[in-house]
Amino acid sequence: MTTREPPLEIGRPPRLDAAAKASGAEKFACDHYPPGVLWAGVKRAGLPHARLRGLDLAAARALPGVVAVLTATDVPGVNRQGVVLKDQPVLVADKARYVGDALALVLASDQETLARALRLIRADLEPLPGVFDPEEALKPGAPLVHEERPQGNLLLEGRVVTGQGAAALEDCPVVVEASYDLPRQEHAYLETENGWAQRGEDGRVTIVVSTQTPFRDRAEVAEVLGLEPGQVRIVAPYAGGAFGGKDGITVQSLLGLAALHAGGRPVKMWLEREESLLASSKRHPARLHYRLGADQEGRLQALAMRAVYDTGPYDHLGGAVLTLGLEHAAGPYRIAHVDLHGLAVYTNNPLSGAFRGFGVPQVAAAMEQAMDLLAGRLGLDPLELRRRNALRRGDINPVGVTLTGSTGLAACLEEVAAHRLWRGGQAWRKEAPPGRRRGLGLAAVMHGLGYGPIIPDVANAKIELTAEGVFRVYCGVVDMGQGNAGTCLQLAGMVLGQDLAGLELVLPDTDRTLPSGSASASRTTYVFANALLPAATALKERLLARGADAMFAASPAEMVLLPGRLKHLPSGRELDLKRLASLLDPAERTASHRYRAPVVPERPSPDPALQLHGLPHGVFSYAVHLARVEVDELTGLVRVCDYLVAADCGQVLNPQIWEQQMQGGVAQGLGYALLEDFPAPEGLPQCRDLSTYLIPTSLDLPEIKCLAVPTWEQSGPLGLKGCGEIGIDGPLPAVGNALAQALGRHLVEAPFTPERVLAALNQTEPSAS
Amino acid sequence: MRPVHLPSSLAELWDLMAAHPGAALLAGGSDLLVRLRQGLGDPPALIGLERIVELGRVQAQEPGWLFLGAMATHSLLLEHPLVREHLPILRQALAVLGSPLIRNQGTLGGNLCTASPAGDTLAPLYALEAQVEVRSASASRRLGMGDFILGPGRTALKPGEVLYGVWVPQQPAWSIAHFEKVGRRQALAIAVVSLAALIARDESGLVTRARLAWGSVGPTVLRVPAAEEALLGRPLDDASLQAAAQLARQALSPIDDGRASAAYRRQVAGNLLLRLARRGS
Ligand SMILES: Cc1cc2nc3c(=O)[nH]c(=O)nc-3n(C[C@H](O)[C@H](O)[C@H](O)COP(=O)(O)OP(=O)(O)OC[C@H]3O[C@@H](n4cnc5c(N)ncnc54)[C@H](O)[C@@H]3O)c2cc1C
């Protein structure tokens, strides 16, 4: 027998996907160039709000190399897409609602012809008055984004009131009040939206695409194409980043439509960076107003908040984003009286949608900076204020849900309190060089996991012992860079006693893997591993039993699975897994398991719309973020010198992946805090590429220290919760609070650009140094 | 498809330029290719300069002068012993230009011919009172920086001419050679404001000579003689620098753009002078 590695272990690195990616061997959706491939692309509106009176396609159609030019009338099924509300056309039929709306789809023999054909299309667009400010959009008489809606431009309004609501503020001896403006943020994944599609001779359409949601895509594309879901196959390779931007349809329906007109040839569509910036969804810009009240001892009593989220032209999960924001609006604290009021509003601005954090970074920014205002007013240490109010297991959270799961916030606070970056903080501040000011800022955050009570949060795992004696793990949830596919192998290897050579991975493919929901909502490994572990265990038990029979063992308990073989422990005899497989019926070699995540039995809001959009959650991760910043008085430039995050995400299955999730979230959150903004006055984006939309470089980031403060989550697989988003919820308020300490005043408009910081400095006394 | 020609000598270059009027010269391409992608310009052909060895030279050639060839990359200059020894202020600028990749690809000549007021090598070269050499098939001429760069994206190059290189005169002893760039981030950042300052002082600390050049606060890099003169005969303290800063703010003509407002640029342009008190003490 060839020498084998020891079986894979849980709790250890490395990332099993790293080598293939680092060496370039891994093929992403964009790496496929099937022979004879056609290129597809769309003509976009370019205007934020305009009636489409007509399209002159003659010149484009006449261009040699153009295979087809398609419009809304060519959509065979329903020309609508969307996850909750189907309000977005695949191709505009009547009017454009934002600059990125697609008007016509072109198929051409090559990219140059495609570009030329798109330029030749003349769109007869009649500009309409647009609506660009969500508050204005709510006023009577405002231009309507969707005329047919009785609620006008209001997409969703939600309100959660507990105790005496806002009235309780009147009894609070200390109340702070502030408004915050949060910017629009771009995902800026490395791999822009793309895929390729082909129609087979049997009429089935296969789409290989960079997506987070293969099974949902299948249903949506089928509906658009007028096909049965089974006639559409979605294949989802590793995605080169997604962060929520591929949670839903990007190019899928267009590719499907193109495939119907390609005469059986493959068709590829791949957005240029400029087009991706223009048309892709962004994090919702938000305006928040907070009133937070406490007693003299700093015990939080009441919160009244109002949040307005600019959802742009389409729902695109905007209602769900708002709802998760509302659920987290009061932070990870005990507050008996809240009035949380949120509105998601249609405008003709760029499209807003899902983005790592999903509505939480906005409210965490407001709540955590309000907490520091309150600490200042009370003369309390900000950490002490959080300590006094931190949620513990068994508490009722601000929206009225009893926390039955693991709740490690207090332990995170103690880790930070004991850390040298916090304890030595005041001394470090005093050592600021001349002309520099230093500050420390904290943020405590929580993040709910999964879909909430209505949408079934389900995964179906499948494992097969192949005829070759290798375990094939069918992973139904996309790996967009988080590393969950590798973790699946690790889990299977641990249970089945296999090394990497004994395992084979099947990435999501609606023909091969089973429906397991989206890669989103900090749910991916929690839900999928909860299905995978029982599937692997069931298969293991079956193999041990059949192996025991074959080897005349007294009981399966005498058998153990090792890499490539089964061993009878008392005798030391071994049976090759290939041999064992040949003794089994194919049906016996496969095990699958369906898992549905538990649902909170409490209903904090009777509003069915809020429930549908995800309220409430029952399992939360927690984190405390600490930023130490230095401000240059001459330029207003901010340097984040040190960063610490202590997080309770339940048990850590792979410390390397866990740390990368934290660091990636913090890095993206620091961009949100200091740099990133996507202004679009009158609906017209000002940043056309990554030279003007700036994201942090490695030189802009400090060393990000990550401390795991693991609890054991009983509902989780091996005690795990989610770690995908908690890292991005804290950086903006942590930096904001640190800047407030350095500057002596709070900044309410993010990002905290040098210009805004210098303006604040101009209004404060020069430092003593 | 656009043809790319790669001459290996100046003689070949002149022939190609004559044969392909309207062709664009390609140095590292880090500006040109970005512009072409944006649809700015559609030259019928590109003529690459990378194989013309003499354009890449860096040497102390004539007495009193250092020569930096137009095709010298930023990385090459950054590591070159002559630059290290004689032009610390240029090194400071090169060190914050773009990123390692851009410095490997981009050239000094490309930075100058792009003639952006934010070009990082420009302010140091203005302060060093460098000259550029321009050549054509039949002639060569030398111009001061201010005569070469005419405005944003505009140079004195005429059809048939190329930038041959930069001549930097031997420098008197400076007590302070300081470059600072303010960008929106620490790498791959276009300057919002930059300052190149060369200051000489006598034994008692009084300023004897001063050259101050600002980037990104006007259509071209700007020297402000009034601010320079205000420092002469004075110590480099907050009071004298504040006075010079005020004069500079009056003389500069920044604009608003996506990166910063004119008001911010104006204030910071003056503020950057105040850093000298800390560097000089
Ligand atoms: C991501 C990125 C970051 C950047 N960051 C910075 C930065 O921080 N600071 C900065 O200053 N610049 C920056 N740049 C701009 C650019 O890299 C520099 O200006 C660089 O020096 C240009 O040199 P090049 O050799 O690439 O020029 P090219 O792009 O090859 O040429 C630029 C122009 O000059 C002309 N040209 C070049 N050489 C000659 C010659 N010898 N004679 C006549 N004409 C000539 C070309 O025809 C063209 O019009 C950045 C660019 C990018 C893409």
Side-chain angles (χ1 to χ4, degrees):
Chain A
M1 192 165 291
T2 50
T3 48
R4 299 287 293 253
E5 296 292 316
L8 293 171
E9 300 276 16
I10 287 300
R12 309 216 8 89
R15 284 186 69 132
L16 298 178
D17 60 333
K21 286 179 176 172
S23 64
E26 190 63 54
K27 292 275 174 275
F28 295 81
C30 64
D31 293 322
H32 294 264
Y33 294 87
V37 73
L38 298 173
W39 284 81
V42 291
K43 169 85 180 171
R44 302 205 180 259
L47 293 177
H49 200 197
R51 179 136 341 266
L52 181 61
R53 285 193 298 221
L55 284 164
D56 182 353
L57 309 170
R61 285 194 168 129
L63 193 68
V66 170
V67 175
V69 182
L70 307 169
T71 67
T73 55
D74 297 303
V75 176
V78 184
N79 187 11
R80 292 267 147 182
Q81 47 196 2
V83 178
V84 181
L85 206 64
K86 292 198 178 298
D87 60 358
Q88 181 171 9
V90 179
L91 289 168
V92 165
D94 48 0
K95 73 167 185 171
R97 297 179 182 85
Y98 85 115
V99 286
D101 261 328
L103 308 180
L105 172 68
V106 176
L107 279 75
S109 54
D110 57 90
Q111 282 173 285
E112 266 182 43
T113 308
L114 173 65
R116 211 161 330 134
L118 288 172
R119 279 196 300 271
L120 287 173
I121 294 178
R122 291 279 160 267
D124 181 5
L125 288 166
E126 174 195 344
L128 298 171
V131 56
F132 307 108
D133 179 304
E135 298 280 5
E136 293 298 319
L138 292 172
K139 293 183 179 158
L144 293 175
V145 181
H146 298 270
E147 288 84 356
E148 67 285 2
R149 285 179 62 84
Q151 313 90 317
N153 289 325
L154 183 65
L155 166 64
L156 181 70
E157 177 167 18
R159 192 156 202 158
V160 178
V161 180
T162 65
Q164 277 120 56
L169 282 169
E170 281 157 33
D171 300 327
C172 293
V174 187
V175 176
V176 294
E177 180 166 359
S179 290
Y180 299 94
D181 266 309
L182 281 311
R184 186 178 282 115
Q185 187 181 20
E186 156 71 8
H187 306 81
Y189 22 75
L190 211 51
E191 184 194 23
T192 55
E193 299 80 353
N194 80 95
W196 70 275
Q198 190 165 21
R199 181 182 207 175
E201 278 168 16
D202 54 1
R204 292 185 80 214
V205 175
T206 297
I207 305 177
V208 179
V209 61
S210 189
T211 179
Q212 293 171 243
T213 50
F215 286 91
R216 218 171 61 204
D217 295 352
R218 177 175 66 175
E220 282 202 66
V221 171
E223 199 174 348
V224 167
L225 301 186
L227 299 174
E228 292 300 324
Q231 292 176 283
V232 175
R233 174 183 181 190
I234 307 279
V235 180
Y238 283 111
F243 311 114
K246 298 169 185 169
D247 185 347
I249 297 290
T250 58
V251 296
Q252 292 87 323
S253 301
L254 293 163
L255 272 172
L257 183 58
L260 298 186
H261 293 266
R265 288 173 71 179
V267 197
K268 187 175 170 81
M269 178 167 175
W270 189 359
L271 304 201
E272 302 268 358
R273 177 65 63 186
E274 293 88 340
E275 187 179 12
S276 172
L277 265 175
L278 180 88
S280 73
S281 67
K282 309 277 182 282
R283 186 186 305 291
H284 286 69
R287 196 167 299 158
L288 304 119
H289 184 79
Y290 267 63
R291 284 186 296 150
L292 178 63
D295 68 15
Q296 298 289 6
E297 281 71 51
R299 280 186 295 260
L300 299 177
Q301 304 289 308
L303 169 68
M305 66 80 74
R306 182 172 182 272
V308 179
Y309 281 42
D310 177 354
T311 207
Y314 302 111
D315 174 19
H316 210 279
L317 289 169
V321 167
L322 173 77
T323 305
L324 201 72
L326 276 185
E327 187 176 355
H328 293 73
Y333 306 114
R334 287 182 301 279
I335 311 182
H337 311 279
V338 302
D339 182 346
L340 315 174
H341 183 198
L343 305 111
V345 185
Y346 285 117
T347 64
N348 298 113
N349 286 328
L351 181 62
S352 300
F355 192 148
R356 189 183 208 170
F358 209 79
V360 179
Q362 293 94 324
V363 291
M367 180 66 193
E368 285 306 291
Q369 292 185 90
M371 283 294 279
D372 268 34
L373 281 178
L374 188 65
R377 191 74 67 75
L378 289 162
L380 255 186
D381 175 79
L383 197 143
E384 179 56 28
L385 177 65
R386 288 170 172 87
R387 197 183 258 149
R388 286 184 191 176
N389 295 284
L391 285 170
R392 295 160 311 192
R393 187 164 168 209
D395 283 344
I396 296 176
N397 81 4
V399 298
V401 169
T402 308
L403 294 175
T404 56
S406 74
T407 310
L409 176 61
C412 294
L413 280 166
E414 295 320 317
E415 285 288 337
V416 170
H419 198 277
R420 63 173 180 82
L421 287 176
W422 175 256
R423 279 190 297 129
Q426 292 315 313
W428 174 81
R429 284 192 68 203
K430 292 203 192 80
E431 287 158 15
R436 303 276 157 104
R437 298 188 187 194
R438 289 176 170 178
L440 282 76
L442 285 177
V445 290
M446 63 177 184
H447 205 103
L449 173 165
Y451 296 160
I454 309 293
I455 314 273
D457 205 343
V458 171
N460 291 280
K462 183 167 102 175
I463 303 195
E464 174 190 3
L465 177 65
T466 66
E468 287 70 45
V470 167
F471 289 96
R472 191 174 283 154
V473 182
Y474 293 84
C475 184
V477 202
V478 167
D479 187 330
M480 52 204 186
Q482 327 91 303
N484 51 296
T487 303
C488 287
L489 288 184
Q490 249 176 306
L491 286 164
M494 181 218 28
V495 173
L496 297 163
Q498 296 305 299
D499 60 359
L500 206 47
L503 298 164
E504 211 177 280
L505 179 67
V506 180
L507 290 171
D509 175 338
T510 56
D511 271 12
R512 301 184 71 197
T513 61
L514 301 174
S516 297
S518 55
S520 70
S522 299
R523 71 180 283 278
T524 310
T525 302
Y526 175 92
V527 182
F528 193 75
N530 262 330
L532 181 64
L533 286 171
T537 305
L539 185 58
K540 173 173 123 179
E541 280 166 7
R542 193 180 302 152
L543 296 180
L544 293 182
R546 300 287 266 117
D549 296 346
M551 294 173 88
F552 305 122
S555 126
E558 293 181 347
M559 312 297 300
V560 65
L561 272 166
L562 290 169
R565 62 203 191 275
L566 196 66
K567 184 172 182 177
H568 179 240
L569 290 169
S571 66
R573 281 181 300 135
E574 294 189 344
L575 178 62
D576 193 87
L577 283 182
K578 186 169 175 184
R579 182 93 185 264
L580 175 62
S582 74
L583 299 174
L584 302 177
D585 181 88
E588 286 182 291
R589 292 193 265 113
T590 301
S592 65
H593 186 91
R594 170 188 176 276
Y595 171 82
R596 179 169 180 180
V599 164
V600 175
E602 292 152 312
R603 285 289 171 273
S605 160
D607 183 349
L610 286 185
Q611 292 174 20
L612 175 68
H613 284 95
L615 186 83
H617 292 75
V619 178
F620 293 89
S621 297
Y622 297 89
V624 177
H625 292 243
L626 166 64
R628 307 210 307 186
V629 309
E630 185 174 284
V631 176
D632 176 37
E633 289 180 338
L634 295 182
T635 58
L637 284 173
V638 177
R639 196 165 71 88
V640 180
C641 306
D642 304 284
Y643 203 96
L644 172 70
V645 55
D648 160 30
C649 305
Q651 292 296 301
V652 176
L653 302 191
N654 181 326
Q656 197 176 45
I657 291 181
W658 181 85
E659 184 177 53
Q660 289 168 349
Q661 281 300 298
M662 289 302 127
Q663 293 186 332
V666 169
Q668 212 163 18
L670 288 174
Y672 186 47
L674 291 167
L675 272 175
E676 298 184 44
D677 196 358
F678 191 82
E682 304 289 300
L684 300 173
Q686 303 296 293
C687 301
R688 46 165 313 197
D689 55 32
L690 293 177
S691 75
T692 41
Y693 185 83
L694 301 184
I695 58 175
T697 70
S698 56
L699 294 185
D700 298 288
L701 297 171
E703 185 190 344
I704 299 165
K705 289 194 169 47
C706 307
L707 299 176
V709 189
T711 53
W712 184 283
E713 169 55 38
Q714 294 182 69
S715 71
L718 306 177
L720 161 144
K721 299 192 275 193
C723 69
E725 296 173 282
I726 194 82
I728 205 170
D729 296 331
L732 191 146
V735 169
N737 288 332
L739 282 171
Q741 193 179 61
L743 301 172
R745 59 192 301 130
H746 280 258
L747 299 175
V748 295
E749 229 181 317
F752 309 122
T753 59
E755 184 144 7
R756 288 177 175 146
V757 170
L758 193 69
L761 276 165
N762 287 341
Q763 289 162 8
T764 57
E765 292 298 303
S767 70
S769 52
Chain B
M1 287 296 252
R2 193 183 271 127
V4 181
H5 304 281
L6 292 169
S8 47
S9 68
L10 282 178
E12 278 179 46
L13 172 65
W14 308 134
D15 290 347
L16 282 165
M17 287 174 73
H20 303 279
L25 297 179
L26 174 73
S30 61
D31 276 319
L32 182 67
L33 298 183
V34 173
R35 289 175 59 81
L36 294 185
R37 179 183 166 98
Q38 290 175 350
L40 302 169
D42 189 14
L46 302 183
I47 302 177
L49 303 178
E50 66 191 43
R51 297 196 181 159
I52 307 175
V53 177
E54 70 174 291
L55 288 179
R57 279 179 307 158
V58 174
Q59 48 191 213
Q61 193 170 349
E62 287 176 16
W65 293 89
L66 247 171
F67 175 77
L68 315 175
M71 282 301 287
T73 64
H74 303 307
S75 303
L76 178 102
L77 293 169
L78 200 51
E79 295 311 320
H80 201 284
L82 286 173
V83 177
R84 192 184 292 269
E85 187 183 341
H86 299 289
L87 305 175
I89 194 168
L90 183 61
R91 281 195 94 230
Q92 292 172 51
L94 292 165
V96 294
L97 191 153
S99 64
L101 282 74
I102 293 294
R103 294 196 286 271
N104 287 341
Q105 188 69 20
T107 62
L108 183 67
N111 203 229
L112 263 62
C113 293
T114 289
S116 159
D120 284 324
T121 65
L122 273 58
L125 294 176
Y126 273 72
L128 291 163
E129 299 190 339
Q131 298 182 357
V132 300
E133 179 176 347
V134 168
R135 285 204 185 174
S136 66
S138 55
S140 154
R141 55 188 180 123
R142 264 156 91 154
L143 296 81
M145 291 293 295
D147 294 326
F148 178 68
I149 292 176
L150 304 179
R154 286 198 305 123
T155 66
L157 282 175
K158 292 193 284 240
E161 284 187 330
V162 302
L163 178 66
Y164 183 70
V166 177
W167 295 91
V168 187
Q170 192 165 30
Q171 298 294 308
W174 299 110
S175 6
I176 296 178
H178 171 79
F179 176 82
E180 181 171 357
K181 157 170 152 178
V182 179
R184 288 286 316 277
R185 61 182 175 193
Q186 294 301 311
L188 292 169
I190 302 174
V192 167
V193 193
S194 64
L195 169 67
L198 293 170
I199 309 276
R201 286 182 296 183
D202 62 18
E203 311 80 66
S204 55
L206 301 183
V207 173
T208 54
R209 277 172 290 118
R211 295 188 197 154
L212 305 172
W214 276 269
S216 281
V217 280
T220 62
V221 167
L222 293 171
R223 294 266 302 262
V224 182
E228 294 174 355
E229 280 155 26
L231 294 177
L232 297 181
R234 300 184 64 179
L236 217 48
D237 57 15
D238 267 349
S240 65
L241 290 167
Q242 286 283 11
Q246 206 41 44
L247 292 165
R249 290 190 190 107
Q250 282 161 20
L252 300 172
S253 52
I255 55 161
D256 289 305
D257 65 15
R259 283 185 288 279
S261 70
Y264 174 83
R265 287 193 158 96
R266 193 182 297 281
Q267 183 184 355
V268 171
N271 284 1
L272 288 185
L273 274 182
L274 306 180
R275 196 89 72 202
L276 297 178
R278 308 217 160 89
R279 282 213 31 142
S281 56

